[in-house]
Amino acid sequence: MDEFLKPLVDAEQLAAARYADVVMPHWHDNRVVLIGDAAHAMSPQLEQGANMGLMDAYELVRQLMSQPSVPDALSQYSTARKHHLRYYQWASRWLTPLFQSYRTAAPWLRDRLMNSGNQLPMVRRFGADTLVGVKQGWLRANMDLGEIDSLW
Ligand SMILES: Cc1cc2nc3c(=O)[nH]c(=O)nc-3n(C[C@H](O)[C@H](O)[C@H](O)COP(=O)(O)OP(=O)(O)OC[C@H]3O[C@@H](n4cnc5c(N)ncnc54)[C@H](O)[C@@H]3O)c2cc1C
């Protein structure tokens, strides 16, 4: 570790990572659509940003291939992506103060509740599904990755 840290003598040598939450009521407007971080950037607590962008691209292609017009495809795209994206946007915003903040009570609670909660199979399963990227809400069925097949 020393070999990496010793050369660091000035804060100027570090690159600051800035996060912003992008929250939009919907991601398309007639013939224009935003996908990936442009549509829903979030802080990287769940490490899902790249995955979300890829899922967007997959769904967008699927809709463009199956709908009769571009506006129809974009409208169906926004509907299809809604629950998955909203869940991860919500979870990422909720987790940020627990993992990256100057607060003291929230991280203290995190260490106690997450450790003991993970002993419960249901909680552990919920956390694993979230980290795998398949959750679509608290009560909604998980995304079925088996449905993702080749488009070509
Ligand atoms: C510190 C940090 C850690 C992260 N860790 C993870 C992780 O572990 N796992 C994970 O899945 N995600 C992680 N992410 C999030 C992930 O990096 C992003 O969600 C993902 O890169 C978004 O992909 P994107 O293609 O939507 O956008 P970007 O990767 O930002 O790509 C947009 C591209 O467009 C280009 N561009 C911008 N403006 C223009 C223009 N006017 N003309 C032409 N080109 C332009 C940019 O140069 C860029 O290459 C992390 C993010 C951060 C900041």
Side-chain angles (χ1 to χ4, degrees), residues 14 91 121:
L14 301 172

Side-chain angles (χ1 to χ4, degrees), residues 17 19 35-38 44 47-51:
Y19 312 135
I35 66 170
D37 273 15
E47 303 178 330
Q48 289 295 317
N51 185 30

Side-chain angles (χ1 to χ4, degrees), residues 62-133:
R62 209 170 73 88
Q63 296 298 345
L64 285 169
M65 288 171 80
S66 62
Q67 295 297 323
S69 69
V70 171
D72 284 336
L74 300 190
S75 171
Q76 288 300 316
Y77 163 82
S78 275
T79 304
R81 294 295 295 129
K82 188 169 84 180
H83 297 301
H84 190 223
L85 288 173
R86 294 281 181 244
Y87 173 77
Y88 281 94
Q89 286 185 308
W90 168 82
S92 153
R93 278 209 304 279
W94 187 80
L95 286 170
T96 298
L98 300 186
F99 286 94
Q100 286 178 319
S101 73
Y102 290 110
R103 297 176 198 188
T104 49
W108 184 87
L109 266 178
R110 172 201 68 198
D111 290 347
R112 269 125 205 105
L113 292 182
M114 284 195 166
N115 273 343
S116 47
N118 272 334
Q119 309 303 317
L120 303 170
M122 239 179 79
V123 175
R124 198 164 54 240
R125 181 64 202 243
F126 191 92
D129 287 346
T130 297
L131 289 174
V132 165

